[in-house]
DNA sequence: GTTTCATTAAAACGTTTGTTTGAATCATAC
DNA sequence: GTATGATTCAAACAAACGTTTTAATGAAAC
């Protein structure tokens, strides 16, 4: 569990964040103790409370650190699209790429920890912890709203509720593709040594196929 | 936390399993204590260890109880298809329905706890706990193998690796559609009060759209 | 050199954790 | 009724938990 490589890299604060990010991803929030974090980071036990206050605030900071950048990058990509189109309607595939492609590019960064974080984020989507949910929702609100609005504009003939559902499904496919430990991997042998460069184009074409699929018909209630 | 409605329903064993299932879904394995389980079930603290041995074995039994039935139902649906086709090739959409539709029908059973279990299963796919992974993989192995073989036969012109990827993506979309607490729900307001009858046809058409999407092309490595 | 303030350190705090114990209770068989 | 085996019960166990405390250490300001 202990891994103290000379204490060379970074200050105490970011050492704690890096260690926490990885351990939360591997063991969940409740499965990761303060002592695991501080020994992995090579710092004193009290350092977490000193720098972050409580464990919950540490969790919050682990997300905030990366999520702010991710959603900023997504919005920048969307604005670039809108600027390029100069008033014309956007292709849905470009919008999807601005949102999901940006996340996949972050997940492809294994070295800098982007991959670890995206795995953590993926598993957190299914963690109904009220405290984390609330925080994630606030952090995502503006970004999701803007992208949904863009999709509504790009697909004016499609019922907005259907677009919402499909966005939901796309989120799921992506999260699981990144974070899913997956029964399959253990049955069939690992795919490609977690090489994310293989994942991105395959997932994008799947997502677009789902987005463009003919709408379902309902026998039942409206 | 305590909810002891007269101790009317079922024996101690199944009362514990029901309580554990719900609490694991809501709080995760580490976030759920023995005391939470036993007080929710209205039984003595020592009852879990008496009936199941350890917490880990209880977790195992929570999954085994439902997963055996689910995968049995999936395989029965597949065999019914094969019988009906009488040697002819199966439509991929029917195979997908036999696997994912069966799960969705289980998730639609709110009363009997099927919905709770599917939520738990969904969040467990992204929980890399080695003990749980191992168990899930064993429990899934045969079923997944049979369905993949059926898809390979139904789509002989498609590279098997691509089919494997898309199965992976479909698993993700479904898991998240059921278990995902989702930034969206908090941004946009809940969809339809978790009514699973709305979910199934929408998800199925999304899955089939993704499955049929044109294959991605790679600029990069094979 | 001394003061000052931010950081680190070791030790302890009271709770809660999963599990075990040994006696009490129950239903069934003789 | 009494013996038997399974189950339930209250109580206690050591270990681990998040957090706090108080003293030691560090570097910069005067």
């Amino acid at each position: 569990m202990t891994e103290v490589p000379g204490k060379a890299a970074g200050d105490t604060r970011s050492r704690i964040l890096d260690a926490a990010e990885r351990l939360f991803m591997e063991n969940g929030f409740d499965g990761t103790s303060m002592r695991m974090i501080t020994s992995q980071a090579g710092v004193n036990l009290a350092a977490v409370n000193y720098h972050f206050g409580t464990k919950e605030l540490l969790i919050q900071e682990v997300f905030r650190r990366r999520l702010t950048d991710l959603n900023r990058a997504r919005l920048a990509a969307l604005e670039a699209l809108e600027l390029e189109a100069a008033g014309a309607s956007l292709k849905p595939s470009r919008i999807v790429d601005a949102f999901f492609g940006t996340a996949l590019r972050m997940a492809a960064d294994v070295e800098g920890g982007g991959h670890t974080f995206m795995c953590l984020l993926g598993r957190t989507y299914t963690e109904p912890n009220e405290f984390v949910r609330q925080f994630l929702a606030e952090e995502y609100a503006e970004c999701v709203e803007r992208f949904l609005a863009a999709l509504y504009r790009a697909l004016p003939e499609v019922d907005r509720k259907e677009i919402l559902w499909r966005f939901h499904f796309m989120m799921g496919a992506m999260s699981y593709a990144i974070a899913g430990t997956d029964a399959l991997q253990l049955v069939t042998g690992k795919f490609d040594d977690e090489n994310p460069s293989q994942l991105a184009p395959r997932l994008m074409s799947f997502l677009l196929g789902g987005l463009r699929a003919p709408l379902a018909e309902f026998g039942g209630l409206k």
Side-chain angles (χ1 to χ4, degrees), chain A:
Chain A
M1 188 63 59
T2 51
E3 183 201 332
V4 189
K7 200 162 186 167
D11 56 347
T12 302
R13 248 187 84 92
S14 64
R15 291 175 60 81
I16 290 173
L17 287 171
D18 290 342
E21 184 174 72
R22 154 142 278 116
L23 289 167
F24 286 153
M25 183 268 278
E26 288 170 355
N27 311 107
F29 304 124
D30 292 314
T32 302
S33 70
M34 294 287 186
R35 286 160 178 84
M36 288 164 75
I37 295 170
T38 51
S39 80
Q40 173 83 229
V43 303
N44 187 272
L45 169 61
V48 173
N49 295 93
Y50 177 77
H51 284 283
F52 300 95
T54 66
K55 187 181 181 180
E56 284 211 336
L57 289 170
L58 169 63
I59 294 173
Q60 204 157 320
E61 182 58 22
V62 165
F63 281 101
R64 206 204 47 75
R65 174 171 71 146
R66 302 233 194 226
L67 221 44
T68 303
D69 290 345
L70 172 61
N71 284 335
R72 210 199 313 271
R74 280 166 159 164
L75 287 173
L78 181 60
E79 277 160 23
L81 281 184
E82 285 168 343
L83 204 72
E84 184 189 317
S89 73
L90 301 178
K91 284 182 64 179
S93 64
R94 305 293 300 276
I95 301 173
V96 169
D97 182 75
F99 192 88
F100 295 99
T102 301
L104 284 168
R105 283 183 281 278
M106 185 178 197
D109 170 31
V110 177
E111 199 77 12
H115 181 75
T116 303
F117 176 72
M118 285 303 299
C119 286
L120 171 61
L121 187 58
R123 74 174 288 180
T124 305
Y125 283 135
T126 55
E127 182 133 17
N129 177 303
E130 197 53 46
F131 161 74
V132 179
R133 278 186 60 170
Q134 187 70 32
F135 173 73
L136 270 191
E138 286 169 16
E139 200 76 22
Y140 257 112
E142 185 200 343
C143 188
V144 168
E145 213 154 351
R146 294 272 295 276
F147 270 87
L148 281 175
L151 282 172
Y152 294 159
R153 247 181 283 117
L155 297 163
E157 77 283 3
V158 183
D159 187 352
R160 293 189 169 195
K161 186 180 276 188
E162 299 294 339
I163 294 175
L164 193 56
W165 277 99
R166 302 222 154 157
F167 198 88
H168 191 201
F169 297 151
M170 289 191 281
M171 287 279 281
M174 185 193 67
S175 300
Y176 185 73
I178 294 171
T181 56
D182 196 5
L184 294 184
Q185 291 197 22
L186 291 151
V187 172
T188 60
K190 293 205 171 198
F191 288 76
D192 297 294
D193 305 33
E194 314 181 10
N195 185 341
S197 73
Q198 301 247 357
L199 168 65
R202 288 190 161 104
L203 179 60
M204 289 303 299
S205 84
F206 177 86
L207 294 182
L208 290 173
L211 180 63
R212 293 172 179 143
L215 293 179
E217 294 174 19
F218 300 93
L221 12 88
K222 166 74 201 308

